[in-house]
Amino acid sequence: MRPNFVFILADDLGYADLGCYGGRSPCSPRLDRLAAEGLRFTDGYSNSPVCSPTRFALATGRWQYRLRGGADEPLGSRSARGSPVLGLPPSHPTLASLLRDAGYATALIGKWHLGFAPHFGPLKSGYQEFFGPMSGGVDYFRHCDPGGTHDLYEGEEEVHRPGYLTDLLSDRAVEFVKRQKGRPFLLSLHYTAPHWPWETREDEAESNRISSIAHLDGGSVATYLNMIRQMDEGIGRVLAEIDENTLVVFTSDNGGERFSDSWPLKGGKMDLLEGGIRVPYIARWPGHLPAGRTTGRLAITMDWVATFLAAAGVAPHPDYPLDGVDLLADEKPRDLYWRMNFRSQKAMRSGGWKYLSIEGYEYLFDLTRDARERANLRRREPARFDALRLAYADWEATLPSIPVDAKVSLVYGPADLPQPSS
């Protein structure tokens, strides 16, 4: 019997926010139980330290840099709305389209952030059902993007649904799973939590107060943790509806934001330091994955496309070879790479070593001993540094260069929040 797939994606969740990753405040009992019943990755990475580039890789199983939309960091509502270029081309095969064509029911419930109608959308890229926002961030009660445009869709039709968005997404996910009667399915459950604005189920008054959802005057660690707790509650309801023939994966699209916890890692969203790209990874599939185990296997977001397709017995499209690997197959040595237009960042992970370049400054770290990336070993290990630097250049040469019109969008900068000196 072909397995079902539930892929749960949090938004801007830090590496150590969950209890099972060392979180200092209990906010994720259901995800902690999922980890106890499945496999927890200690070295799982996102394809990018910012939202939409990671989502291009998750949809296609390929480096996001192969598509023009993947170069913007991230896709902005103002630049992408109406653009025929900034989005996931409907002609490109996706995990959803390949599984759909193999007889799977497919649904995206939650955030899309891969381009706007009329040129792009979930229903054009393999999903048979869609409920959620099209843009990057929306208010949890008003369901409006940063510009004030209402952004909640059922399929390709705008809809108005009262309620707290996290709960609306959880409700719809439960309803979708209940409707599947013996037909294999892919459920992509992409929460907007705990992405700003900082609003819990009890904060509708806060939603009414703010004039911009990128507000810097709101939020707190307590509010942030409660947002995770309420997402965790909804995930628990979804997990209660699935059977053992379901491969469940939980992760985040990138590292955390200003209220998150990434200890012992340094950095966060928009950084190629570990705190920006190393994220929680939990996978459970009874009888196929070990229970209650951790693994240091290197993994990256796009690997789940190859993994799901292999588990379903579905071949990738021959004209679009996958860059990710099947995480259920035997582990082989591999290197991981990242590139950011923002601050001219470059990074490579090879075994326990990491090459990093930020604004022309270059580093070599031994992550097995220095997860915080504080000891630059480039002069102690010059041959290793040169080898990784050359390998990175060889990889980058196989991909399109960064387009001159690629945009970097920052919610805030040094003038908005105090920055540590080191």
Side-chain angles (χ1 to χ4, degrees):
M1 181 183 295
R2 292 183 295 176
N4 305 311
F5 303 107
V6 175
F7 192 93
I8 307 171
L9 190 66
D11 201 343
D12 294 0
L13 184 75
Y15 180 78
D17 282 330
L18 305 182
C20 57
Y21 278 87
R24 286 167 276 191
S25 299
C27 63
S28 55
R30 295 151 190 90
L31 286 169
D32 296 345
R33 188 186 320 126
L34 185 72
E37 297 169 347
L39 185 63
R40 184 175 67 87
F41 288 73
T42 60
D43 293 68
Y45 288 90
S46 58
N47 264 75
S48 172
V50 67
C51 349
S52 55
T54 292
R55 294 165 196 270
F56 276 97
L58 174 59
T60 64
R62 291 156 54 87
W63 295 113
Q64 63 270 25
Y65 317 107
R66 298 190 185 281
L67 293 170
R68 170 61 188 86
D72 276 30
E73 302 169 353
L75 287 181
S77 295
R78 292 181 181 177
S79 58
R81 200 177 294 277
S83 169
V85 175
L86 298 178
L88 177 58
S91 60
H92 196 298
T94 65
L95 171 64
S97 70
L98 292 167
L99 289 179
R100 176 203 61 196
D101 293 348
Y104 274 72
T106 59
L108 170 60
I109 297 170
K111 178 173 171 177
W112 166 245
H113 204 188
L114 291 175
F116 292 91
H119 305 288
F120 311 104
L123 301 191
K124 293 179 172 63
S125 289
Y127 288 107
Q128 297 161 320
E129 300 183 28
F130 169 61
F131 175 74
M134 298 287 289
S135 63
V138 295
D139 184 90
Y140 286 85
F141 292 92
R142 293 180 289 117
H143 312 147
C144 294
D145 71 9
T149 300
H150 182 263
D151 186 4
L152 185 61
Y153 284 80
E154 177 91 52
E156 296 183 340
E157 300 295 324
E158 182 183 1
V159 294
H160 291 263
R161 299 283 188 271
Y164 182 60
L165 184 57
T166 300
D167 291 340
L168 293 178
L169 299 180
S170 298
D171 292 345
R172 184 56 64 91
V174 169
E175 188 268 335
F176 172 80
V177 173
K178 285 183 174 180
R179 274 194 283 113
Q180 308 314 311
K181 306 287 187 182
R183 181 184 181 188
F185 65 85
L186 165 68
L187 168 61
S188 298
L189 177 53
H190 296 182
Y191 285 100
T192 59
H195 191 287
W196 50 260
W198 319 113
E199 296 166 359
T200 72
R201 190 182 294 142
E202 294 75 33
D203 289 330
E204 189 166 5
E206 173 75 348
S207 170
N208 294 328
R209 180 189 67 81
I210 61 176
S211 58
S212 167
I213 69 167
H215 64 305
L216 294 171
D217 65 321
S220 66
V221 171
T223 296
Y224 176 80
L225 292 173
N226 205 25
M227 293 172 71
I228 298 173
R229 184 176 297 109
Q230 292 172 354
M231 176 180 67
D232 183 79
E233 291 172 2
I235 291 171
R237 292 173 50 216
V238 175
L239 296 179
E241 298 295 334
I242 62 176
D243 62 29
E244 290 194 347
N245 191 36
T246 304
L247 173 52
V248 180
V249 175
F250 173 87
T251 187
S252 178
D253 61 347
N254 47 253
E257 252 252 40
R258 71 198 84 153
F259 294 118
S260 69
D261 187 358
S262 61
W263 181 262
L265 311 179
K266 195 80 171 176
K269 184 177 181 178
M270 298 297 290
D271 297 326
L272 289 185
L273 288 159
E274 290 292 287
I277 50 177
R278 202 190 300 192
V279 291
Y281 262 63
I282 303 169
R284 187 189 72 184
W285 190 13
H288 299 269
L289 290 173
R293 296 270 299 276
T294 60
T295 176
R297 180 173 186 167
L298 294 185
I300 194 167
T301 314
M302 64 185 179
D303 291 340
W304 295 108
V305 175
T307 304
F308 283 16
L309 291 178
V314 175
H317 195 292
D319 296 336
Y320 297 85
L322 302 179
D323 294 312
V325 303
D326 176 8
L327 295 174
L328 298 178
D330 292 340
E331 184 176 4
K332 298 178 181 178
R334 66 184 304 206
D335 298 328
L336 301 179
Y337 304 88
W338 296 265
R339 182 181 73 184
M340 283 287 284
N341 192 16
F342 177 59
R343 301 185 68 198
S344 301
Q345 297 179 81
K346 304 175 182 180
M348 174 188 178
R349 172 87 191 254
S350 182
W353 292 90
K354 181 176 177 181
Y355 163 75
L356 178 68
S357 176
I358 303 177
E359 295 176 337
Y361 297 100
E362 294 180 300
Y363 312 89
L364 177 68
F365 298 115
D366 179 359
L367 296 179
T368 64
R369 296 192 299 163
D370 178 28
R372 283 181 71 76
E373 299 168 283
R374 301 289 86 183
N376 187 2
L377 303 181
R378 61 170 294 187
R379 290 179 175 82
R380 182 184 295 185
E381 298 268 358
R384 190 184 304 273
F385 173 80
D386 289 342
L388 266 62
R389 190 174 186 268
L390 180 60
Y392 182 91
D394 289 343
W395 167 80
E396 191 173 33
T398 67
L399 298 168
S401 58
I402 298 174
V404 294
D405 61 343
K407 290 182 171 57
V408 173
S409 302
L410 298 177
V411 175
Y412 58 89
D416 301 301
L417 290 174
Q419 304 296 312
S421 60
S422 61

